[in-house]
Structures are given as structure tokens and as C-alpha cells.
Amino acid sequence: MSGTYPQTPYFQNVKYKKRHYNLMSESLNGRTQVRSLSSSRREFTLVYPPLTRAEMDTVFTFIESQEGPLGTFTISLPDPLDPTTTYSLTARLADDVQEFDLGVDNLYQYEVDIIEVL
């Protein structure tokens, strides 16, 4: 475990996805077979409002310390069933690449993709 995801600045919204793992094959005659691996996981995209350089440095420094998806961390997210509460989970970055946009107003637009660790 490599720490706790920073709570400030707080993200503007969270995109939730649930991915199910299945094996699928299709024959030349069009017959399709699907087998469930009985596994699923949640994926999240944390979307930040426009950030100043100082605000972004807090998040960016933490992201850099994770060395891509190598490290895991705890994060508190709003509960989609009850927005007044949060829950904690263990997660890792979705991939090695983290991108951000620098606007003409010198504000950074940033999204972070994370995956739940089961």
C-alpha cells in the first residue's frame, strides 16, 4: 500500500463503471459462445474542476509516487446510492499514462483513471 489519495483539492465528479470479465469466441458460421469468469471490478474516473498549478501539484505529486499501476492506495469516494456518505476502497492507477490539459488561462484540467483492487 502506497498511502492515501489526497482529499484536497477535491474532485468535481466521479464517473463509475463496472466491468464484467467474460470469455467470448465466435466461429466462422457465426455461432458465438460466451463464458463468465465470475469476476467483475469497478473503475472510476476522477474529474477535477480547473486547477491552479499549486492545487494540481498536490495530486500530481501523489500520482507520480505511485509509479503507474504498480502502487495501491486507499481513497474515499462518494457513495452513488447515498451522496451524503462516502466509502473507502483500495485502488490503483488504471495505466502508466496520466495526461492533463493546460488552458490558455493557465488552469489545469485533470482526470485520473483508477481501478478497484479486489
Side-chain angles (χ1 to χ4, degrees):
M1 181 90 62
S2 297
T4 303
Y5 195 86
Q7 291 296 306
T8 55
Y10 201 68
F11 30 87
Q12 183 174 345
N13 64 27
V14 180
K15 298 177 189 176
Y16 289 85
K17 291 185 244 175
K18 187 160 188 176
R19 183 176 304 268
H20 297 277
Y21 292 96
N22 300 308
L23 293 176
M24 186 171 125
S25 64
E26 185 175 345
S27 66
L28 291 175
N29 68 3
R31 182 173 179 226
T32 303
Q33 292 181 322
V34 180
R35 184 176 69 132
S36 172
L37 297 177
S38 298
S39 180
S40 63
R41 71 174 179 202
R42 295 179 291 179
E43 299 178 359
F44 308 93
T45 300
L46 312 176
V47 181
Y48 285 90
L51 303 171
T52 65
R53 178 63 194 207
E55 292 171 326
M56 188 186 154
D57 277 345
T58 304
V59 177
F60 193 74
T61 301
F62 180 81
I63 297 295
E64 284 291 308
S65 73
Q66 295 303 302
E67 299 179 21
L70 181 64
T72 61
F73 52 88
T74 59
I75 185 168
S76 293
L77 296 173
D79 186 344
L81 302 176
D82 182 7
T84 62
T85 62
T86 61
Y87 63 96
S88 293
L89 60 99
T90 301
R92 71 172 23 116
L93 297 175
D95 54 33
D96 290 329
V97 178
Q98 293 295 319
E99 299 177 5
F100 59 88
D101 296 325
L102 177 58
V104 293
D105 51 3
N106 284 334
L107 293 177
Y108 294 83
Q109 297 180 1
Y110 201 48
E111 292 184 2
V112 179
D113 296 320
I114 62 172
I115 300 170
E116 180 181 26
V117 175
L118 300 176

